[in-house]
Amino acid sequence: MRSSKTTKDETLINLFLDMLAAEQGAGNNTLDAYRRDLTDFSEFLGRKGQNFTGAGTDALRDYLADLDTRGFKSSSVARRLSAMRHLFRFLLNERIRSDDPAAILSGPKRGRGLPKVLSIADVDRMLTRAKELTLGQNASPQQRLRAMRLYCLLEVLYATGLRVSELVALPLSASRRDARMIVVRGKGNKERLVPLNEASRQAMADYLAAMEALRPEKKKNASPSKWLFPSFGESGHLTRQHFARDLKELAAASGLAPRLVSPHVLRHAFASHLLHNGADLRIVQTLLGHTDISTTQIYTHVVEERLKSLVRDLHPLAEK
């Protein structure tokens, strides 16, 4: 049976998440992550007979130590600490607490790992293989449509660097043949303009033509789905997980290790390849939808390598 202390914590978690959704536009994935982290913290406090309103700094330190004992990585511990800080700041602002026990806590030191990146040749191999699958001679119309959808997803992802959640939830209006830019609704419900290239526009046009050809005759006059990548699932559009699985299968078919390929890795490839070819870091920040330039700075190693190459190849005193 759950204690009244734990039940009270659940109420505070719900209030906190409502605030994040209403005031900061937090998405479902962010809210789910906060709920998991704070529920685990609440259960730890409950075992000690404490809750959010009475826990002191020492209890928070004990929880962080417990995470370390359980083998959590430093990045995961830092995320839990961030959730705690946000929660207690909220409780202080709402006058539910008169102090903030998380204010003086310091998180674990962690280095920011470099993102996995596919080479341009790797991406070309995947695009070539995906295109070949759309031309399958012995494939059924449904199999060809799925292949064209995957090729379209891949072309649009590599052309735009969208987050996978933004990609699968693109509206049908993004596929207008004359559209040179699409409006993307990203984190915090913020909108940004992202340019499309000719390959991605053509892939969308071919995919939609194939989808329309397969629509039952009785539904020809019915309104199409509002999504570019519709599905019968609860969301109404293709899921992130479904696309990730299809992408790994394509990686294997292209001779690449599936574990090295994901939608997020292709987003990294988009950014890294742009920077390698001379794009400005601020432009890449805008295209990726990063609010803070510090988030985009994980790619500075690409810029540094390019600058070294320029000095080595173009400086008049460089060794030949």
Side-chain angles (χ1 to χ4, degrees):
M1 186 173 177
R2 299 181 71 83
S3 69
S4 60
K5 289 181 181 291
T6 305
T7 303
K8 185 176 181 181
D9 281 354
E10 286 180 349
T11 301
L12 294 177
I13 289 173
N14 288 332
L15 288 173
F16 171 63
L17 297 181
D18 286 345
M19 180 278 294
L20 287 181
E23 297 183 14
Q24 299 183 23
N28 290 334
N29 294 333
T30 300
L31 297 176
D32 288 344
Y34 271 112
R35 184 180 295 279
R36 285 194 301 271
D37 291 350
L38 293 175
T39 298
D40 184 70
F41 176 41
S42 172
E43 290 172 351
F44 173 84
L45 292 176
R47 291 192 291 271
K48 293 180 172 292
Q50 300 183 57
N51 62 5
F52 292 158
T53 56
T57 302
D58 287 343
L60 274 62
R61 287 198 179 101
D62 289 344
Y63 176 63
L64 295 177
D66 180 67
L67 293 176
D68 187 58
T69 302
R70 284 192 268 164
F72 278 69
K73 294 180 180 179
S74 60
S75 57
S76 298
V77 175
R79 193 192 71 224
R80 297 285 176 103
L81 176 56
S82 175
M84 290 156 57
R85 282 175 173 155
H86 281 85
L87 171 70
F88 285 112
R89 197 173 303 135
F90 166 74
L91 298 181
L92 180 63
N93 291 338
E94 294 296 313
R95 299 184 180 180
I96 297 171
R97 285 191 64 134
S98 59
D99 65 333
D100 180 356
I104 62 173
L105 289 179
S106 58
K109 294 182 179 179
R110 54 173 180 159
R112 193 159 196 179
L114 297 179
K116 297 176 187 175
V117 177
L118 296 171
S119 68
I120 295 175
D122 289 337
V123 177
D124 279 342
R125 284 167 65 183
M126 292 184 67
L127 286 168
T128 299
R129 182 57 181 153
K131 182 67 174 177
E132 289 171 351
L133 292 173
T134 68
L135 304 173
Q137 297 295 322
N138 300 319
S140 68
Q142 287 289 352
Q143 288 173 327
R144 284 198 65 200
L145 178 61
R146 284 195 293 271
M148 295 180 80
R149 181 181 67 185
L150 179 57
Y151 177 64
C152 179
L153 284 160
L154 187 57
E155 281 283 12
V156 174
L157 177 54
Y158 187 53
T160 61
L162 297 182
R163 298 179 180 92
V164 63
S165 56
E166 298 167 344
L167 175 67
V168 296
L170 280 175
L172 184 62
S173 58
S175 63
R176 289 201 334 267
R177 191 66 184 89
D178 60 341
R180 300 285 171 177
M181 310 279 284
I182 56 174
V183 178
V184 177
R185 192 179 298 277
K187 285 187 175 181
N189 216 28
K190 295 178 180 176
E191 292 185 343
R192 68 184 189 278
L193 280 173
V194 179
L196 290 172
N197 60 17
E198 179 57 33
S200 60
R201 291 198 301 273
Q202 188 61 55
M204 283 193 286
D206 293 343
Y207 158 66
L208 287 174
M211 187 162 56
E212 181 63 23
L214 279 178
R215 287 182 75 193
E217 197 61 38
K218 61 182 179 181
K219 292 187 177 181
K220 290 289 185 181
N221 296 324
S223 298
S225 168
K226 68 177 183 177
W227 307 110
L228 179 57
F229 304 107
S231 169
F232 294 111
E234 183 179 346
S235 65
H237 58 71
L238 185 73
T239 65
R240 297 175 296 119
Q241 295 84 353
H242 193 139
F243 175 44
R245 287 196 301 270
D246 287 351
L247 199 57
K248 288 187 180 297
E249 290 178 6
L250 177 63
S254 305
L256 301 173
R259 63 183 177 80
L260 299 178
V261 179
S262 71
H264 203 59
V265 168
L266 278 162
R267 175 171 156 90
H268 287 318
F270 162 82
S272 296
H273 297 170
L274 277 180
L275 290 166
H276 182 75
N277 286 300
D280 181 86
L281 195 64
R282 289 281 182 186
I283 298 297
V284 173
Q285 175 194 357
T286 300
L287 293 174
L288 292 176
H290 288 163
T291 303
D292 194 329
I293 188 66
S294 64
T295 309
T296 320
Q297 284 172 344
I298 58 172
Y299 300 107
T300 51
H301 68 288
V302 178
V303 179
E304 289 167 1
E305 286 302 316
R306 181 173 171 274
L307 291 175
K308 288 177 185 176
S309 298
L310 286 174
V311 172
R312 183 183 64 245
D313 297 340
L314 301 178
H315 195 284
L317 298 181
E319 294 183 5
K320 299 295 185 182

